[in-house]
Amino acid sequence: MKTLLLCVIHVIFFRVYEIQCKSHPKPSCGYPPSQWCRSLEIAIECGVRKQCMELNATRPDPVVPPVEITLYYESLCPGCRAFLTEQLFPTWTLLKDIMKVNLVPFGNAKELPEDNSFSCQHGVPECYANMVEACVLYAANHAAFPVIYCMESSADVLKSAKPCLQLYAPFVKWQTIESCTRGKLGHSLMHQNAVKTQALKPAHIHVPWITFNGEYTSEWEDKAMSTLFNLVCSMYKGIKPPVCTGALKKLDRSFC
């Protein structure tokens, strides 16, 4: 899995570098490569106007909505962890421009209003891990998914929570997450996840439960479990990015 992610990172970097730098590898401007396409003036000064135009042409049409995937899962469920770490996160890493991911940690848990608590399939540790991830999603926003991937891909989901947060969302203090899990906010977030899960139509009968653009079919879910990348590419209604059309297959093989 780590090898796959390293390949993904290499492919993305090489593609951007190739587009930006081909035919002009050493511009005389004073801007770093990451800034070359920030504006037309900078692109002209750095001599990469054509390359930047090519790069912009590969970006998704903002009018076309992304493929929205919602994962209803449990933090300690082996099948959920496998899907999140082996399919969902690697696919999102490559296709984040054309897909949106929503995570709903709750799964087969039950809300116990009379006790003001929750009961989880894998016991108290899972209830706590679910709440930690709900609090991370609330506090870390755009950086939450990498944090949760880091947790779910580790040997111990709970023990890895703090170092994963410090690594991928250093702007969020661990004390903020702890305070969330101990207070009303954490309970409220879990209640919201319970409501979302219970509102599913059709009702979920297992986890992971995966919806696409708010809809569920067993056919989509079966494909997602093994070839999510291909499924997202096929479902996107706009112009396919190069990574979908196979433009990077040669690069992928050269790195991996």
Side-chain angles (χ1 to χ4, degrees):
M1 192 60 232
K2 290 182 179 178
T3 301
L4 172 60
L5 286 176
L6 286 174
C7 291
V8 166
I9 293 170
H10 278 302
V11 169
I12 294 172
F13 173 80
F14 193 87
R15 174 60 179 168
V16 172
Y17 185 83
E18 179 190 47
I19 292 175
Q20 291 184 334
C21 309
K22 185 172 63 176
S23 80
H24 198 10
K26 294 182 179 180
S28 58
C29 67
Y31 296 91
S34 61
Q35 301 295 314
W36 289 350
C37 297
R38 190 179 68 180
S39 70
L40 178 61
E41 291 75 14
I42 294 177
I44 293 174
E45 181 180 343
C46 294
V48 291
R49 177 180 178 180
K50 178 182 177 182
Q51 289 77 11
C52 288
M53 290 177 67
E54 292 175 355
L55 179 63
N56 288 331
T58 66
R59 290 174 178 164
D61 185 343
V63 176
V64 179
V67 178
E68 185 169 356
I69 299 176
T70 302
L71 173 64
Y72 298 83
Y73 72 105
E74 299 169 351
S75 57
L76 300 187
C77 160
C80 299
R81 296 178 66 184
F83 174 72
L84 191 152
T85 59
E86 297 172 14
Q87 290 291 330
L88 187 58
F89 187 80
T91 298
W92 174 80
T93 301
L94 278 172
L95 300 177
K96 63 179 67 177
D97 285 341
I98 65 167
M99 69 182 287
K100 176 183 178 182
V101 173
N102 303 310
L103 300 177
V104 185
F106 191 81
N108 295 325
K110 297 184 183 300
E111 188 170 17
L112 307 174
E114 64 277 7
D115 298 326
N116 197 35
S117 63
F118 301 89
S119 173
C120 297
Q121 185 172 356
H122 299 93
V124 174
E126 182 170 75
C127 279
Y128 180 62
N130 286 347
M131 190 174 291
V132 167
E133 294 191 357
C135 290
V136 168
L137 287 164
Y138 178 83
N141 199 1
H142 65 280
F145 196 10
V147 174
I148 291 175
Y149 164 77
C150 176
M151 292 172 61
E152 294 293 342
S153 61
S154 68
D156 191 310
V157 173
L158 283 172
K159 286 185 178 179
S160 67
K162 183 177 180 179
C164 285
L165 183 74
Q166 293 172 334
L167 178 62
Y168 291 103
F171 56 90
V172 179
K173 295 182 179 179
W174 177 245
Q175 289 81 355
T176 300
I177 304 301
E178 285 187 318
S179 176
C180 174
T181 61
R182 294 171 181 169
K184 293 182 179 180
L185 177 57
H187 190 280
S188 174
L189 293 172
M190 289 309 301
H191 171 70
Q192 292 173 33
N193 286 348
V195 171
K196 292 176 183 177
T197 304
Q198 292 162 3
L200 283 167
K201 293 183 180 180
H204 86 285
I205 56 176
H206 57 253
V207 286
W209 189 264
I210 310 157
T211 65
F212 292 82
N213 300 322
E215 299 181 8
Y216 171 88
T217 72
S218 58
E219 180 182 359
W220 287 344
E221 186 173 75
D222 289 344
K223 290 181 179 179
M225 296 301 290
S226 59
T227 56
L228 179 63
F229 176 90
N230 292 340
L231 182 59
V232 172
C233 285
S234 67
M235 294 185 75
Y236 181 62
K237 303 300 183 182
I239 298 175
K240 312 297 183 186
V243 70
C244 279
T245 59
L248 296 182
K249 285 183 178 179
K250 292 183 180 180
L251 293 176
D252 187 65
R253 286 196 294 269
S254 69
F255 280 113
C256 306

